């Protein structure tokens, strides 16, 4: 039996990347180094390689794009924009592979979908230097174990991503930001059907409305019933450190703990001036983590020093 | 099948004489540990066409602690475990191989908490999908995944199979709607995977548990995301003279940058069956109908509904009907959702296939599906989630006819090949189970399958939970052939 040609890569660029990664010695991929210290400092003697670049196949009519991991998110989104589309990857500098490995959501995840939902298929190089393929090119797929989910946010500790197929989404007809100094964020979330983002810094509330223009106007009218809103060009400056709260907790942030903050309402993500205390996993979950890591990377050569449990 | 049942019924009686069964009875309660032939025969099957299942004792736990006790006892006694919901799975995922203990979670059916502040509900795994949405709807919410089996299937089964449904086109399948999972791991330990916070630390073990077909443990509590009910809905029924025109309309809509809430296609044979069954108001003279729904806010739904209608007309739609009332809309959906019930009225047996193809390839692959069925002289009907390219060719037959099953399987194999050749995948929502293991190496290399197995063994190093599923033998931790035979001195 022959595997379907579309599911096996014969791309020499990927093969060259696999050769470069090889099968011995500590190794890591450098993207744009925007999240270089996430999950721990890389061990000193680690060899640094770079992932292949380029958009391989963009099919706007399928709402999918096949792209190599070293491509910047900015370049990808520029190409997609020409066809009126985008992905759920955050636009904050960095490469496609880096964004997926860091696993951080765009603050507009409510509107654009969570990062992990953007990844349909992944080709990564294993600790043994082999190209592993998982997931599939279609928007719906339950064929086998969902390794793309495992890979997102894994900080390159299970495999080094070479190429992915991402889901794209149409860019809505209009996107507008509004700010209010008197409406409570909880009321905002209740008043509108599906805001793309609601931000709160303890004083002001920002909301991004997207959709067809008359609907956005109607949503604004509903907002104006609960407070005064003015159009603004975008979001406030975000403090540097990410915290992960539940949506309920994120509505009642204590700045004595976080410092100045901007809370992403509905999601639970908070940007704060203080760093979040170290988190880790324990008990049975930790055991599964350790077994999975040992199974995927028996010699611990992939991104040594980093641990997704310590993000 | 009746003979098979009789044989099993007369095989063994309720008196256990088995230390494991006795220990289970002591740990759970004698009434909730079943070991009689009828129970075991019933739990040897799911809704798929596959048999060969062999159930050990069937237990009905009511709490996480009871599930944990069962798993620990199974480990102590060297027995395997198979989780089970309503048994509506179509890939054989819940079929017990090697006479394991079947853990039926149907009595764990409480909606524990609706937490609007966090936009989630905590539910037990045995909650029936439709019951959940019916409970949430009056509060302004629903659970988005709506499999056609939603009157029977459980949330635990939805999680295990990452199930989809018509309205998953815009809202995503089960994985997008599960926030956290309490799981009894194969070791017997209880773990919380995922969390209610924005970005739980560590690997996304929640994400891989969803869709793992009962092989990574038993989920005992699930935090599902609440979806706000949409204030405005428009439902369109478009009629066509050919299935190709309907399929081209679907790809045209997606290419046009519209993601409707749902886009379902039914061919003439199925619309006829449905009309006779429930009288949904479908046209009987159309070769295919497309049921398209858009939801959201007032202006947008009208704009999108108009555009879909136009794309339909551009693709030769012979009629475009907009449901005028809630009643009319409900009737149109009733037709779609009872399609399989309607088939059951007219055909003794059916085999429902499930592949996905790129949406631009829909029309071509459908033509092939009809040609394949014709070649093998089996009747095929198509009713499917067209919007995401998820084909559901339904092969209709009468199992009493000599040799028919061979033809059905041969046709099924060719349908899978045609889907893969078009750049598609093996399964969109039913999973691999035992059904498609033998096709896995058409989609994945040996290395790919080896990595899937590394994940599985990260959860279940001793291969105790639902062995013999998903990954084909040779790559997996359990050899399916040996599982088909019951181990020595274990329940026959
Ligand atoms: C008429 C008909 C229509 C259908 N339509 C659809 C559809 O539109 N979309 C769709 O996606 N599917 C559909 N299905 C398939 C099936 O209904 C779904 O897969 C459903 O989610 C299975 O749920 P269940 O409770 O019946 O699970 P079961 O069949 O009992 O089990 C399915 C799998 O889940 C595992 N499992 C069950 N409970 C747990 C648990 N608590 N923890 C861990 N693992 C568990 C089992 O081991 C098994 O592998 C349909 C089936 C039928 C018969």
């Amino acid at each position: 039996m022959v595997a379907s040609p579309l599911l096996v890569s014969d791309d020499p660029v990927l093969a060259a990347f696999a050769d470069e990664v090889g099968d011995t010695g500590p190794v890591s991929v450098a993207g744009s180094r925007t999240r270089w210290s996430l999950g721990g400092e890389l061990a000193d003697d680690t060899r640094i390689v770079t992932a292949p670049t380029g958009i391989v196949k963009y099919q706007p009519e399928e709402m999918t794009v096949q792209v190599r991991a070293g491509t910047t998110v900015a370049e990808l989104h520029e190409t997609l924009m020409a066809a009126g589309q985008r992905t759920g990857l955050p636009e904050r500098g960095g490469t496609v592979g880096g964004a997926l490995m860091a696993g951080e959501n765009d603050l507009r995840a409510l509107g654009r979908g969570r990062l992990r939902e953007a990844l349909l298929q992944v080709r990564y190089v294993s600790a043994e230097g082999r190209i592993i393929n998982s997931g599939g090119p279609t928007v719906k797929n339950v064929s086998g174990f969902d390794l793309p989910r495992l890979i997102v946010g894994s900080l390159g500790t299970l495999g080094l991503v070479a190429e992915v197929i991402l889901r794209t989404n149409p860019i809505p007809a209009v996107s507008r930001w509004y700010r209010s100094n008197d409406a409570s964020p909880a009321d905002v979330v209740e008043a509108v059907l599906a805001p793309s983002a609601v931000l709160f810094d303890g004083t002001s509330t920002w909301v991004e409305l997207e959709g067809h223009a008359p609907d956005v106007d109607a949503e604004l009218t509903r907002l104006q019933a609960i407070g005064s809103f003015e159009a603004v060009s975008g979001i406030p400056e975000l403090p540097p450190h990410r915290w992960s709260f539940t949506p309920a907790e994120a509505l009642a942030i204590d700045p004595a703990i976080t410092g100045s903050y901007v809370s992403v309402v509905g999601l639970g993500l908070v940007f704060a001036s203080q760093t979040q205390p170290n988190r880790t996993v324990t008990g049975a979950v930790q055991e599964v983590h350790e077994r999975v890591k040992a199974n995927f990377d028996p010699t611990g050569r992939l991104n040594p020093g980093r641990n997704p449990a310590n993000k | 099948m009746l003979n098979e049942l009789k044989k099993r019924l007369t095989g063994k009686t309720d008196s256990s004489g088995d230390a494991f069964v006795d220990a289970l009875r002591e740990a759970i309660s004698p009434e909730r540990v079943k070991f009689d032939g009828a129970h075991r025969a019933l739990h040897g099957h799911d809704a798929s066409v596959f048999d060969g299942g062999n159930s050990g004792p069937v237990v009905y736990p009511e709490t996480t602690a009871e599930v944990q006790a069962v798993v620990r006892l199974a480990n102590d006694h060297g027995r395997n475990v198979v989780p089970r919901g309503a048994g509506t799975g179509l890939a054989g995922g819940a079929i017990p191989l090697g006479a394991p203990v079947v853990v039926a979670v149907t009595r764990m059916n409480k909606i524990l908490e609706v937490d609007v502040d966090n936009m989630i509900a905590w539910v037990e795994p045995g909650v029936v999908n439709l019951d959940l949405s019916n409970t949430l709807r009056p509060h302004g919410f629903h659970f988005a995944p709506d499999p056609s089996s939603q009157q029977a299937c459980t949330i635990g089964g939805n999680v295990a199979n990452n199930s989809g449904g018509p309205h998953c086109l815009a809202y995503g399948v089960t994985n997008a709607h599960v926030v956290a999972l309490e799981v009894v791991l194969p070791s017997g330990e209880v773990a919380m995977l995922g969390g209610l916070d924005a970005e739980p630390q560590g690997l996304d073990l929640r994400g891989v548990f969803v869709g793992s077909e009962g092989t990574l443990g038993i989920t005992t509590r699930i935090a599902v995301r609440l979806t706000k009910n949409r204030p405005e809905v428009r439902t369109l029924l478009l009629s066509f003279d050919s299935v190709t025109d309907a399929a081209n309309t679907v790809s045209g809509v997606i290419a046009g940058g519209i993601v409707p809430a749902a886009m379902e296609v039914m061919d003439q044979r199925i619309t006829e069956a449905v009309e006779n069954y429930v009288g949904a108001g479908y046209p009987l003279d159309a070769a295919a109908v497309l049921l398209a729904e858009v939801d959201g806010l007032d202006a947008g739904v009208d704009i999108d509904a108009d555009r879909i209608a136009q794309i339909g007309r551009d693709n030769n739609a012979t009629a475009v009907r907009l449901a005028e009332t809630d009643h009319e809309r409900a009737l149109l959906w009733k037709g779609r959702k009872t399609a399989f019930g309607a088939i059951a009225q007219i055909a003794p047996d059916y085999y429902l296939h499930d592949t996905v193809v790129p949406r631009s390839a829909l029309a071509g692959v459908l033509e092939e599906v009809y040609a394949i069925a014709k070649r093998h002289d089996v009747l095929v009907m198509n009713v499917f989630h067209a919007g995401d390219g998820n084909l559901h060719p339904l092969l209709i037959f009468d199992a009493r006819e000599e040799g028919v099953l061979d033809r059905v399987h041969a046709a099924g194999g060719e349908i899978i090949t045609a889907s893969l050749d078009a750049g598609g995948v093996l399964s969109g929502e039913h999973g691999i189970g035992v059904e498609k293991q033998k096709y896995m190496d058409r989609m994945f290399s040996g290395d790919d399958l080896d990595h899937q197995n590394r994940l599985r063994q990260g959860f279940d190093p001793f291969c105790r939970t639902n062995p013999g599923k998903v990954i084909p033998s040779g790559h997996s931790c359990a050899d399916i052939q040996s599982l088909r035979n019951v181990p020595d001195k274990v329940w026959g």
Side-chain angles (χ1 to χ4, degrees):
Chain A
M1 263 180 231
V2 188
S4 164
L6 285 150
L7 302 164
V8 174
S9 173
D10 55 6
D11 184 344
V13 176
L14 299 200
F17 178 57
D19 282 347
E20 202 186 344
V21 171
D23 58 4
T24 47
V27 60
S28 173
V29 176
S32 310
R33 300 191 186 230
T34 60
R35 287 290 182 277
W36 193 242
S37 300
L38 205 61
E41 291 300 328
L42 197 61
D44 277 346
D45 54 347
T46 307
R47 189 163 52 92
I48 307 290
V49 299
T50 53
T53 58
I55 294 169
V56 181
K57 189 175 179 188
Y58 176 32
Q59 292 180 285
E61 72 286 1
E62 289 298 331
M63 294 190 187
T64 60
V65 62
Q66 184 172 7
V67 57
R68 297 194 188 112
T71 315
T72 63
V73 176
E75 184 195 333
L76 172 67
H77 280 181
E78 203 179 300
T79 303
L80 301 190
M81 178 125 61
Q85 296 185 349
R86 63 189 183 193
T87 72
L89 269 55
E91 287 166 353
R92 47 149 183 74
T95 60
V96 168
L100 292 167
M101 290 304 90
E104 296 175 345
N105 289 299
D106 190 279
L107 59 81
R108 284 155 297 193
L110 290 184
R112 302 183 174 198
R114 281 171 172 71
L115 176 76
R116 62 196 187 213
E117 279 143 32
L119 183 61
L120 301 174
Q121 178 181 302
V122 58
R123 288 189 170 124
Y124 59 86
V125 177
S126 72
E128 291 86 7
R130 316 275 298 181
I131 298 175
I132 307 296
N133 178 41
S134 186
T138 55
V139 293
K140 193 173 184 186
N141 175 22
V142 293
S143 312
F145 290 92
D146 201 344
L147 297 183
R149 299 292 163 144
L150 190 68
I151 290 294
V152 172
S154 65
L155 297 178
T157 59
L158 304 177
L160 302 181
V161 177
E163 180 198 278
V164 294
I165 296 180
L166 301 172
R167 180 197 299 277
T168 64
N169 303 305
I171 297 174
V174 299
S175 303
R176 289 185 204 143
W177 281 97
Y178 298 96
R179 184 180 62 205
S180 170
N181 297 325
D182 55 5
S184 92
D187 288 348
V188 169
V189 169
E190 198 158 331
V192 295
L193 176 67
S196 290
V198 179
L199 308 179
F200 179 60
D201 68 356
T203 310
S204 302
T205 303
W206 287 256
V207 54
E208 187 185 42
L209 299 176
E210 295 190 301
H212 293 288
D215 286 337
V216 169
D217 290 341
E219 291 273 58
L220 179 62
T221 307
R222 280 185 280 274
L223 284 175
Q224 279 159 344
I226 59 164
S228 55
F229 282 82
E230 57 169 345
V232 289
S233 61
I235 60 171
E237 176 128 16
L238 298 177
H241 302 293
R242 287 169 92 91
W243 294 52
S244 177
F245 288 102
T246 69
E249 287 165 353
L251 277 176
I253 294 300
D254 180 357
I257 296 169
T258 60
S260 62
Y261 70 93
V262 174
S263 172
V264 186
V265 179
L267 202 59
L269 182 62
V270 171
F271 294 88
S273 60
Q274 300 295 315
T275 53
Q276 180 164 26
N278 278 344
R279 305 189 296 167
T280 190
V281 298
T282 54
V285 177
Q286 186 185 6
E287 283 167 33
V288 177
H289 264 84
E290 286 170 0
R291 267 199 307 269
V292 168
K293 169 68 180 172
N295 288 353
F296 278 77
D297 182 18
T299 63
R301 64 180 294 253
L302 303 177
N303 279 291
R306 293 185 173 145
N307 185 348
N310 299 336
K311 268 195 294 191
Chain B
M1 218 168 90
L2 205 61
N3 284 339
E4 173 82 341
L5 194 68
K6 272 186 193 148
K7 200 175 78 197
R8 288 177 191 210
L9 281 172
T10 49
K12 264 238 158 90
T13 65
D14 209 6
S15 73
S16 93
D18 182 297
F20 178 45
V21 176
D22 292 343
L24 287 171
R25 287 188 169 152
E26 200 182 330
I28 306 299
S29 103
E31 315 83 71
R32 290 190 283 111
V33 178
K34 303 290 187 189
F35 193 49
D36 57 283
H39 261 89
R40 292 170 52 206
L42 194 66
H43 289 81
H45 299 266
D46 62 5
S48 68
V49 299
F50 299 94
D51 47 24
N54 196 329
S55 165
V58 181
V59 300
Y60 296 90
E62 290 180 346
T63 62
T64 302
E66 286 186 354
V67 173
Q68 186 175 34
V70 172
V71 171
R72 289 203 158 136
L73 281 173
N75 287 344
D76 291 347
H77 288 80
R79 305 285 209 263
N80 296 332
V81 175
V82 172
R84 185 181 176 98
T88 67
L90 289 167
I95 290 180
L97 299 174
V101 51
V102 172
V103 182
V105 298
T106 43
R107 292 177 75 118
M108 299 177 74
N109 59 0
K110 286 189 282 300
I111 297 170
L112 301 169
E113 184 191 356
V114 178
D115 176 356
V116 176
D117 290 342
N118 283 313
M119 285 296 279
I120 57 112
W122 279 106
V123 305
E124 291 184 329
V127 168
V128 169
N129 175 294
L130 189 59
D131 290 348
L132 176 58
S133 277
N134 284 345
T135 304
L136 296 174
R137 237 172 247 285
H139 303 285
F141 306 105
H142 63 284
F143 179 59
D146 59 339
S148 309
S149 52
Q150 70 184 142
Q151 297 189 11
C153 67
T154 65
I155 303 296
N158 297 167
V159 167
N161 282 357
N162 195 11
S163 299
H167 288 89
C168 291
L169 176 56
Y171 295 107
V173 295
T174 299
N175 211 323
H177 302 279
V178 170
V179 176
L181 293 164
E182 180 189 79
V183 170
V184 176
L185 293 169
S187 63
E189 287 167 296
V190 178
M192 185 62 75
L193 310 181
L196 306 192
D197 61 321
E199 290 172 349
Q201 69 271 36
L203 298 170
D204 186 11
L205 300 181
R206 171 212 64 86
V208 294
F209 190 94
V210 178
S212 62
E213 303 191 40
T215 63
L216 302 184
I218 303 177
T219 180
T220 46
R221 230 158 34 105
I222 302 154
V224 296
R225 206 183 286 292
L226 307 181
T227 300
K228 273 192 190 177
N229 297 343
R230 279 5 194 188
E232 297 295 332
V233 184
R234 302 285 182 275
T235 308
L236 295 161
L237 188 74
L238 297 92
S239 309
F240 298 90
D241 277 341
S242 77
V243 179
T244 305
D245 286 341
N248 286 335
T249 300
V250 169
S251 14
V253 169
I254 298 295
I258 306 172
V259 184
M263 276 203 286
E264 301 283 307
V265 167
M266 281 169 273
D267 71 8
Q268 187 162 21
R269 286 187 186 129
I270 214 106
T271 44
E272 268 173 14
V274 166
E275 268 314 289
N276 292 333
Y277 188 48
V278 292
Y282 295 160
L284 289 172
D285 55 350
V289 296
L290 165 63
L291 186 60
E293 187 160 280
V294 287
D295 65 11
L297 296 164
D298 210 25
V301 291
D302 284 335
I303 294 169
D304 287 345
D306 283 350
R307 286 181 60 201
I308 292 171
Q310 190 53 50
I311 293 167
R313 287 191 201 99
D314 293 347
N315 285 286
N316 316 315
T318 52
V320 178
R321 199 173 108 204
L322 179 72
E324 299 286 349
T325 62
D326 286 346
H327 175 73
E328 194 182 345
R329 169 179 318 118
L331 207 55
L332 289 177
W333 275 112
K334 186 174 181 190
R336 167 63 185 87
K337 297 229 170 172
T338 52
F340 299 112
I343 301 305
Q345 303 294 304
I346 57 166
D349 302 286
Y350 65 76
Y351 188 162
L352 180 56
H353 272 275
D354 167 46
T355 63
V356 189
V357 298
R359 293 169 276 204
S360 51
L362 268 174
V365 176
L366 275 167
E367 274 171 28
E368 272 190 70
V369 166
Y370 287 109
I372 290 166
K374 196 166 175 196
R375 250 192 336 267
H376 291 279
D377 191 24
V378 290
L379 194 62
V380 65
M381 303 189 181
N382 278 293
V383 44
F384 59 101
H385 310 307
D388 33 32
N390 192 180
L391 292 177
H392 275 339
L394 189 63
L395 303 176
I396 314 280
F397 59 98
D398 181 344
R400 289 167 301 190
E401 192 190 319
E402 184 84 20
V404 70
L405 254 176
D406 293 339
R407 300 205 313 271
V408 165
H409 284 299
E414 287 183 29
I415 289 171
I416 290 170
T417 302
S419 301
L420 290 180
D421 286 349
V425 299
L426 289 173
S427 174
E429 50 184 32
H430 297 166
I432 302 300
V434 297
E435 182 196 10
K436 286 182 176 154
Q437 282 175 314
K438 62 175 180 291
Y439 298 106
M440 284 285 271
D441 62 2
R442 300 237 196 133
M443 189 163 159
F444 299 110
S445 71
D447 283 339
D448 300 343
L449 293 170
D450 169 53
H451 268 232
Q452 294 191 26
N453 200 39
R454 293 182 195 205
L455 167 66
R456 185 192 181 328
Q457 295 212 327
F459 276 79
D460 187 12
F462 305 108
C463 306
R464 288 268 170 76
T465 305
N466 211 359
K469 305 289 170 66
V470 187
I471 302 175
S473 56
H475 300 286
S476 80
C477 49
D479 176 10
I480 192 161
Q481 285 315 321
S482 70
L483 288 168
R484 291 224 188 271
N485 307 320
V486 179
D488 259 4
K489 295 209 184 71
V490 177
W491 328 285

